[in-house]
């Protein structure tokens, strides 16, 4: 199954290049946000996820063509 | 001076009315108690400005201060503080800048400069080791910051470090800033207008010394090596090197906290177009750094063909600038944002205040076009960058609506009337930076109670500590892990102002203030990036100075500093009624993932009261006698 993902904030180390905004990946059907995070070695407690523009819980089950955004927030700027 | 290292024990006092320049011993007791940075600045403010004054009068003074670790060679400490009475708020302000100038000042043999009086002609101050001179600045007056930097570097050498205000400071625009090396800014509070009023265009520092005597040279060397190693591969600092603060725009948008259309909405449809990633891809030209810093997070931009101002000499926009001159104004064009940043920097205007003032204007003209102040004024709407350029010119020339905006957003809203004050995004006259308190409520509390007004660097944001401290090596993000040492163990929800949240804020405000006392870059430290720990902060102060200290002692100094800002503001006539937020913060966000979210007004008001109690202040927001004595401030407060 194909979905799109974006990493923001401190998570940009999981991009393939610094300016990458979005990439498509293949995942097994029925995978949860939590499962995807595990595959990247990211602690689910520290990350926020938005799926198709809405904040979702890590138990959310991913569907074909979903667009998933992972972000962390800092307080500088 | 006894055995204190890490200091020169020297203040340079410059009286511009009499052209008298002399050095003074600061004194061991003063340095031990106030340490440096913001604290040392407020020490002199309280001692020397004893009654309410007009910020743009002969009576105002401006202090440039450093700390015992400034100029010691390790990451994050080339910084300095500028403390004065703000032309924007009428109260105290202390603004910190990174770069190179602070370290150069320290290495030239001076810890601080106090400037008083007003010159009868434009001048600049030149400092080189034991040489202190006032030079004529007639040929600099009216020129862009880029031109002035060029002229002064040609005259005094490439390694002369130039701090200056710009044409905006000369023209007394209330949000004129101070820049050093064209890329680093004491941005907030209108400190540049104070320099301009004094006719002091620049302070040039040239140092021939390479190192400052410290108590434990080997220890400092080991620490610097540790930092360099750790920062090179640190998982939170690698992204910071790649994109700097520009990387914050997209996550802030995804979280629904990207101020958009003058803080009406929390997300921007064109966020990707104006993101750091896109700006970097189109115009990025690598990064540069501050004094001795291994992180190198500052953005460089290429020259943009046809741009009015050369975008390559002023550094790239930081997150704050991108958001305030982008989504806050509805601007979807990344090129316009990069150019607007360069124009503001060439004039020496605070980009945050420019964005806030014009954002307010757009909304006011949309909602209340019939107000008398808008009669005959050409309408400006969202996403009209050409008109934004034109309004900046009007501000610089006090032309029409520009004359109104040049006084700052609060003053403009007072004059405009109607309901415009409800969406004038400011506290105490200082404009909101690009952070949305409705998604992180103690940021709102911090903006409300901060002496200088709205500021995002008062304490760690709620979203950094609303999750447990087990980020793991692949995340490397900000969390509770390294602030356990000050007793903060429990993650608390971002959208609440419970008693526990207020307590968290009290502690974190002190920790954040400690960075400003030490003039140490917050990006390099806990809990933002965890490249060093709280224990390291204590150790480095001990290694620099030879003192015996502790996190308790250092945080007491920070608490003392917060109280000094408060005492100073009380002296300038501020009361608890100034500790508030714009009405918009209690109304729901209109769009984005946090649509409908607002700060609960009752909780907010209770939180302010509780904060006063925790701080030992009375209901008028004044430190009580017991607190003054506990902090050793009873004499300065008198
Ligand atoms: S982290 Fe960035 S802003 Fe801070 S000192 Fe280093 S280069 Fe300067």
């Amino acid at each position: 199954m194909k979905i799109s993902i974006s990493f923001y904030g401190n998570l940009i180390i999981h991009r393939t290049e610094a300016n990458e905004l979005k990439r498509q990946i293949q995942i097994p059907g029925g995978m949860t946000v939590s499962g995807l995070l595990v595959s990247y070695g990211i602690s689910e407690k520290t990350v926020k996820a938005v799926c198709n523009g809405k904040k979702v819980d890590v138990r959310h089950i991913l569907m074909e063509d979903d667009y998933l955004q992972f972000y962390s927030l800092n307080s500088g700027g | 001076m006894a055995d204190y290292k890490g200091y020169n024990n020297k203040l340079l006092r410059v009286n511009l009315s009499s052209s008298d320049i002399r050095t003074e011993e600061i004194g061991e007791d003063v340095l031990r108690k106030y340490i440096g940075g913001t604290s040392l600045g407020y020490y002199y403010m309280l001692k020397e400005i004893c009654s309410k004054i007009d910020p743009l009068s002969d009576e105002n003074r401006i202090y440039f201060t450093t700390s015992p670790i400034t100029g010691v060679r390790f990451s994050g400490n080339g910084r300095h503080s500028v403390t004065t009475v703000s032309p924007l708020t009428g109260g105290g302000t202390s603004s910190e800048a990174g770069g190179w100038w602070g370290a150069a000042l320290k290495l030239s043999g001076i810890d601080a400069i106090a400037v008083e009086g007003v010159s009868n002609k434009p001048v600049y101050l030149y400092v080189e080791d034991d040489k202190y001179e006032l030079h004529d600045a007639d040929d600099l007056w009216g020129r862009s910051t880029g031109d002035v930097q060029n002229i002064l570097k040609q005259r005094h050498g490439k390694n002369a470090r130039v701090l200056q205000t710009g044409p905006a400071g000369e023209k007394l625009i209330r949000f004129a800033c101070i820049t050093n090396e064209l890329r680093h800014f004491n941005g907030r509070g209108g400190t540049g207008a104070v320099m301009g009023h004094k006719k002091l265009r620049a302070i040039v520092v040239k140092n021939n010394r390479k190192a400052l005597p410290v108590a434990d040279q080997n220890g400092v060397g080991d620490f610097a090596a540790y930092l360099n190693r750790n920062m090179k591969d640190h998982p939170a600092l690698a992204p910071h090197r790649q994109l700097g603060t520009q990387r914050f725009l997209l996550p802030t948008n995804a979280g629904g906290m990207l101020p958009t259309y003058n803080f009406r909405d929390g997300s921007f449809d064109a966020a990707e177009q104006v993101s750091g990633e896109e700006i970097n891809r189109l115009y990025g030209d690598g990064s540069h750094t501050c004094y001795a810093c291994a992180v190198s997070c500052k953005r460089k931009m290429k020259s943009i063909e046809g741009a009015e101002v050369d975008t390559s000499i002023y550094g790239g926009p930081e997150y704050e600038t991108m958001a305030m001159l982008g989504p806050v104004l509805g601007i979807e064009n990344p090129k316009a944002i990069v150019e607007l940043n360069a124009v503001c920097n060439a004039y020496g205007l605070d980009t945050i205040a420019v964005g806030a003032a014009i954002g307010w204007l757009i909304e006011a003209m949309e909602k209340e076009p019939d107000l008398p102040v808008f009669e005959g004024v050409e309408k400006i709407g969202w996403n009209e960058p050409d008109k934004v350029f034109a309004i900046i010119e009007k501000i610089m020339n006090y032309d029409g609506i520009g004359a109104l905006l040049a006084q700052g957003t609060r003053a403009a809203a007072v004059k405009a009337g109607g309901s415009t004050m409800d969406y004038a995004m400011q506290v105490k006259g200082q404009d909101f930076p690009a952070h949305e308190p409705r998604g992180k409520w103690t940021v709102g509390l911090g903006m409300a109670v901060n002496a200088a007004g709205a500021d995002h660097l008062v304490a760690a944001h709620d979203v950094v500590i609303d999750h447990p401290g087990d980020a793991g090596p692949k995340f490397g993000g900000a969390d509770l892990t390294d602030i356990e040492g000050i007793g903060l163990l429990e993650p608390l929800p971002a959208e609440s102002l419970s008693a526990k949240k207020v307590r968290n804020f009290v502690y974190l405000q002190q920790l954040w203030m400690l960075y400003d006392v030490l003039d140490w870059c917050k990006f390099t430290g806990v809990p933002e990036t965890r490249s060093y720990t709280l224990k390291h902060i204590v150790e480095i102060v001990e290694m620099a100075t030879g003192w015996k200290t502790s996190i308790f002692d250092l945080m007491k100094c920070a608490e003392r500093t917060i109280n000094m800002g408060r005492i100073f503001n009380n002296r300038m006539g501020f009361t608890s009624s100034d500790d508030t937020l714009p009405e918009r913060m209690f109304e729901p966000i209109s769009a984005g993932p946090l649509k409908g979210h607002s700060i609960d007004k009752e909780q907010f008001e209770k939180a302010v009261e509780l904060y006063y109690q925790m701080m030992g202040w009375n209901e008028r927001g004044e430190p009580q006698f017991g607190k003054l004595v506990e902090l050793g401030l009873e004499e300065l407060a008198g």
Side-chain angles (χ1 to χ4, degrees), chain B residues 34-113:
Chain B
Y34 300 100
I35 301 179
T38 303
S39 181
L40 196 57
Y42 267 119
Y43 163 73
Y44 284 109
M45 292 267 282
L46 283 169
K47 224 175 116 194
E48 298 179 357
I49 302 176
C50 298
S51 56
K52 187 170 161 59
I53 61 160
D54 175 353
L56 297 181
S57 72
D58 297 13
E59 293 150 307
N60 200 0
R61 296 169 181 230
I62 184 164
Y63 303 94
F64 301 83
T65 50
T66 61
S67 89
I69 61 167
T70 309
V72 181
R73 285 200 76 81
F74 57 85
S75 294
N77 68 348
R79 299 173 72 80
H80 66 275
S81 303
V82 176
T83 312
T84 189
V85 185
S86 162
L88 206 50
T89 69
T93 189
S94 190
S95 180
E96 287 70 40
W100 301 78
W101 188 86
L105 182 72
K106 193 75 185 298
L107 289 166
S108 79
I110 294 170
D111 299 295
I113 301 177

Side-chain angles (χ1 to χ4, degrees), chain B residues 346-406:
Chain B
Y347 283 140
L349 288 165
D350 172 20
T351 52
I352 292 177
V354 169
I358 300 178
W360 168 84
L361 175 70
I362 297 171
E363 182 164 356
M365 292 193 88
E366 182 181 87
K367 275 197 177 143
E368 304 176 72
D370 297 331
L371 289 171
V373 289
F374 300 136
E375 210 180 303
V377 176
E378 191 192 352
K379 188 168 187 306
I380 174 171
W382 307 112
N383 196 21
E384 293 194 310
D386 289 347
K387 289 190 180 168
V388 174
F389 281 107
I391 285 178
I392 292 174
E393 291 306 315
K394 283 181 186 292
I395 290 172
M396 286 301 297
N397 293 305
Y398 288 86
D399 173 13
I401 196 73
L404 183 76
L405 299 181

Side-chain angles (χ1 to χ4, degrees), chain A residues 6-15 17-22 38-50 53-55 67 69-77, chain B residues 235-236 239 242-243 245 247-248 250-252 254-255 257 272 275 277 280-281 319-320 435 456-457 460-461 463-464 466-468 470-471 474-478 512 523 528 594:
Chain A
S6 292
F7 290 106
Y8 303 131
N10 287 344
L11 299 168
I12 67 176
I13 51 170
H14 299 284
R15 294 176 177 177
E17 60 167 87
N19 294 332
E20 173 191 282
L21 288 175
K22 197 190 265 194
V38 168
S39 72
Y40 282 100
I42 300 172
S43 163
E44 64 184 44
K45 289 191 181 135
T46 58
V47 163
K48 294 163 175 92
V50 170
K54 285 215 172 81
K55 266 193 188 171
Y67 175 33
Q69 296 165 285
F70 289 122
Y71 65 98
S72 61
L73 289 166
N74 284 48
S75 49
Chain B
Q242 283 171 354
L243 284 174
T245 58
R247 79 186 200 277
F248 296 148
L250 285 178
T252 310
M257 285 179 256
E272 287 195 357
S275 65
E277 286 81 347
N280 213 51
R281 190 180 68 77
Y319 161 72
E320 298 296 331
H435 292 273
H456 58 294
L457 293 170
H461 293 194
V463 288
V464 169
D466 69 349
H467 48 267
D470 64 347
K474 289 254 178 78
F475 179 79
W512 248 231
F523 287 130
E528 276 307 283
L594 295 191

Side-chain angles (χ1 to χ4, degrees), chain B residues 163-174:
Chain B
L163 170 147
Q164 60 169 314
T165 186
E170 294 174 4
K171 294 188 174 185
L172 312 183
I173 310 294
R174 301 261 165 173

Side-chain angles (χ1 to χ4, degrees), chain B residues 75-77 79 99 240 288-290 293 295-298 521 523-524:
Chain B
S75 294
N77 68 348
R79 299 173 72 80
H240 203 49
H288 72 115
T289 194
C290 301
C293 188
V295 181
S296 190
C297 75
K298 313 297 288 181
C521 180
F523 287 130
T524 60

Side-chain angles (χ1 to χ4, degrees), chain B residues 261-512:
Chain B
Y261 305 124
N262 193 34
F263 287 79
R264 202 186 62 196
D265 296 356
S267 76
F268 189 44
D269 286 346
E272 287 195 357
Q273 244 165 278
V274 298
S275 65
E277 286 81 347
E278 190 62 359
I279 282 181
N280 213 51
R281 190 180 68 77
L282 293 169
Y283 311 113
D285 192 21
S287 69
H288 72 115
T289 194
C290 301
Y291 171 82
C293 188
V295 181
S296 190
C297 75
K298 313 297 288 181
R299 309 327 297 163
K300 280 189 191 163
M301 294 284 113
K302 295 177 193 149
S303 290
I304 296 181
E305 220 185 293
E308 213 169 294
V309 171
D310 184 353
T311 49
S312 72
I313 64 172
Y314 293 105
E318 299 283 341
Y319 161 72
E320 298 296 331
T321 302
M322 290 161 56
M324 296 305 292
L325 299 177
V328 165
L329 306 181
I331 290 180
E332 298 174 358
N333 178 347
K335 181 164 164 271
I337 294 171
V338 175
E339 287 190 36
L340 283 167
N341 175 58
V343 166
C344 289
N345 294 351
Y347 283 140
L349 288 165
D350 172 20
T351 52
I352 292 177
V354 169
I358 300 178
W360 168 84
L361 175 70
I362 297 171
E363 182 164 356
M365 292 193 88
E366 182 181 87
K367 275 197 177 143
E368 304 176 72
D370 297 331
L371 289 171
V373 289
F374 300 136
E375 210 180 303
V377 176
E378 191 192 352
K379 188 168 187 306
I380 174 171
W382 307 112
N383 196 21
E384 293 194 310
D386 289 347
K387 289 190 180 168
V388 174
F389 281 107
I391 285 178
I392 292 174
E393 291 306 315
K394 283 181 186 292
I395 290 172
M396 286 301 297
N397 293 305
Y398 288 86
D399 173 13
I401 196 73
L404 183 76
L405 299 181
Q407 307 300 324
T409 313
R410 180 178 61 178
V414 167
K415 187 115 190 257
S419 63
T420 62
M421 190 59 86
D422 291 352
Y423 50 87
M425 302 310 295
Q426 54 76 38
V427 174
K428 301 185 176 80
Q430 179 157 288
D431 302 284
F432 265 44
H435 292 273
E436 175 50 84
R438 285 172 287 187
K440 34 186 180 182
W441 289 12
T442 58
V443 171
L445 179 63
M447 288 187 184
V449 300
N450 183 39
D455 185 341
H456 58 294
L457 293 170
V458 174
H461 293 194
D462 316 51
V463 288
V464 169
I465 54 159
D466 69 349
H467 48 267
D470 64 347
K474 289 254 178 78
F475 179 79
D479 60 34
L480 284 165
T481 307
D482 285 312
I483 45 176
E484 278 181 18
I486 54 171
L488 299 182
L489 309 171
E490 191 184 348
L492 296 169
E495 293 181 43
S496 142
L497 275 171
S498 64
K500 283 181 178 177
K501 283 288 294 285
V502 178
R503 187 187 55 201
N504 267 19
F505 171 74
V506 167
Y507 291 179
L508 287 167
Q509 187 188 21
Q510 291 173 19
L511 181 59
W512 248 231

